[in-house]
Amino acid sequence: MSEKRHLPPDHPAIPPRRIGVLLVNLGTPDATDYWSMRRYLKEFLSDRRVIEENPVKWWLILNLIILSVRPGRKGKDYEKIWNRERNESFLKTITRAQADKLGASFANDPRLLVDWAMRYGNPSIASRLDAMQKAGCDRILVMPLYPQYAAATTATVADKAFEALSVMRWQPALRVAPAYYDQPAYIEAILPTAPGLFKLAPVGKTGAFLTQLFAPASSSSAAFTTLHREMIGHWPAEGDSVGTYGSNKVAQRALQFVSEHPNSA
C-alpha cells in the first residue's frame, strides 16, 4: 500500500518506507593470514563485554602477548575449516545463507528487507545499518543469533548497533530481539537435529547437552509433541560415556504429554 507524504518541494528525495531485519552473528576474520587474524582477535578481545578484567592489565596481556602469538596459531586452525570455494569462514557462509533464505520467504513483500552482519569483522553492523537506512528502512529489527541472552553476546550486539546510530543524523527506529530459547517455534525447529548432535558431544557430556537442549521444552507443552516424535529410539542410556541427565524423567514427561493430548501426537 502506497503512503502519501507531505514534504516541501526542496526536501531531499526519500526512498519508500521499509522495515529491515538484520541478522547478527558473532564474527569472523577476513582471511587466515597473520594480520587478518590479528585485526579480528584485537577487535574481539578488546570488547569490555567479553573481557571484564582490569583494563590496564588486560591491555598489556593482549597487546604484548596474545596478539603476538595467537594470530599465527589461530590462523592455522581457521585454515583447516576455511570455505575455500568462497574464500571465507563457514560462519559467514552460513549466516549469509540464513539471511538469503529468510529474505526469500518475504520476497513478495517489497516493504521488508533482510540483511546480515557480524559483531566482529565484516560486514560490520554499522555498514549494514547504514545501507538499510539508505534503502528506506525507517524501522529495523536487530536479531542477534543467540537463543539465550548474555552480556558477551546479545548485549554487545546492541551496544554496537546503538553506537552506529549515534553518528547518524537521520536515525531509523531500532529494536533488538529478546531471547527466544523458550519460544515454541525455535524449540520445534531445533529438536529434530538432536539425535545427530548427540554424536558431536564430548564423552561424558551428552547428559549435560540433553539437559540444556530439552530444558526450554518444559515451558512449552507444545514442544513435547516434537520431542516425543524426534526422540523415539534415540534416548541414550546414562553411563560414563553419556553422563547423568535423568533420561527417564525427560522421556516420561514427553510420553505423558502425548498420552494426555492424543490428538497432538
Side-chain angles (χ1 to χ4, degrees), residues 184 187-189 191-192 214 217-218 220-232 235 250-265:
I187 295 171
E188 292 180 10
L191 284 177
F214 297 140
S218 62
S220 172
S221 58
F224 280 119
T225 302
T226 306
L227 176 58
H228 169 68
R229 181 179 67 246
E230 299 299 334
M231 292 305 299
I232 290 177
W235 296 100
V250 179
Q252 286 171 3
R253 287 178 68 185
L255 293 171
Q256 180 182 358
F257 174 80
V258 173
S259 66
E260 294 174 352
H261 305 78
N263 295 328
S264 66

Side-chain angles (χ1 to χ4, degrees), residues 7-42:
L7 301 173
D10 60 345
H11 196 283
I14 301 176
R17 296 180 65 183
R18 305 178 76 183
I19 299 171
V21 178
L22 184 66
L23 306 184
V24 183
N25 217 327
L26 177 66
T28 176
D30 294 323
T32 60
D33 63 275
Y34 178 88
W35 291 108
S36 295
M37 291 301 308
R38 193 180 193 279
R39 283 192 300 272
Y40 170 67
L41 289 172
K42 184 173 184 178

Side-chain angles (χ1 to χ4, degrees), residues 13 24 44 47 57-58 69 93 111 149-150 152 158 176 179 194 197 204 216 221 254:
V24 183
F44 179 34
D47 188 348
K57 172 185 174 182
W58 180 246
V69 178
T93 303
R111 298 173 304 168
Y149 171 89
V176 180
L197 292 175
S221 58

Side-chain angles (χ1 to χ4, degrees), residues 183-205:
Q183 295 298 307
Y186 171 74
I187 295 171
E188 292 180 10
I190 202 69
L191 284 177
T193 67
L197 292 175
F198 294 159
K199 300 175 182 178
L200 303 177
V203 175
K205 300 296 184 180

